[in-house]
Amino acid sequence: MASLKFTHAVVCRIPLSFRTRGEIELEEAKRQHEAYVRLLRELGLDVIELPPDETLPECMFVEDTAIVCNGLALITRPGAQNRAKEVETIRAVLKKELDLPIVEIGDESAKLDGGDVLFT
């Protein structure tokens, strides 16, 4: 089996609007996120950190917007239509910052959240 070597991580800071998503301890979530980003850097990854978008309370869940495997980025179609702007942001980052080839899902009725994909 081929070994995987990760070089980059894309993260997005937590917006204040995240607290509208239920019982969220916003300050604790921010501390946890900072620890996560610090660990990624300690592991030697080049971390691309996006600013929070207050109009997108779930923008920190970047894993839902694309699946990157074998040098290709599959742009997803999240089930929640209000997350389409997040997908556009990540598409631009993957293309501009990482120069990854982009693959789109052709069927407009298809839905896929990247966080629902499991690599085995």
Side-chain angles (χ1 to χ4, degrees):
M1 177 185 348
S3 67
L4 300 175
K5 180 167 179 7
F6 299 99
T7 58
H8 292 79
V10 179
V11 300
C12 182
R13 287 185 224 115
I14 298 175
L16 296 175
S17 60
F18 183 52
R19 69 174 65 146
T20 65
R21 308 311 285 172
E23 295 184 24
I24 303 294
E25 294 290 335
L26 188 61
E27 292 309 312
E28 179 62 18
K30 285 183 173 188
R31 279 191 294 279
Q32 291 172 349
H33 188 268
E34 289 168 6
Y36 170 64
V37 172
R38 190 170 42 256
L39 178 60
L40 292 172
R41 287 190 171 114
E42 288 172 5
L43 291 170
L45 296 177
D46 183 1
V47 178
I48 299 170
E49 194 167 3
L50 305 175
D53 185 333
E54 292 301 333
T55 65
L56 302 169
E58 298 178 0
C59 64
M60 79 293 281
F61 299 119
V62 296
E63 69 275 8
D64 286 337
T65 60
I67 301 160
V68 177
C69 184
N70 295 329
L72 293 173
L74 173 64
I75 303 301
T76 66
R77 290 182 177 274
Q81 182 58 33
N82 63 337
R83 299 194 68 198
K85 184 178 174 191
E86 294 173 51
V87 172
E88 297 305 317
T89 299
I90 292 301
R91 178 187 286 112
V93 168
L94 294 176
K95 186 70 176 159
K96 183 178 178 185
E97 300 294 326
L98 299 176
D99 196 31
L100 288 174
I102 303 293
V103 177
E104 302 282 347
I105 297 173
D107 183 346
E108 291 188 21
S109 65
K111 301 295 178 216
L112 174 65
D113 286 287
D116 294 338
V117 173
L118 174 66
F119 288 93
T120 60

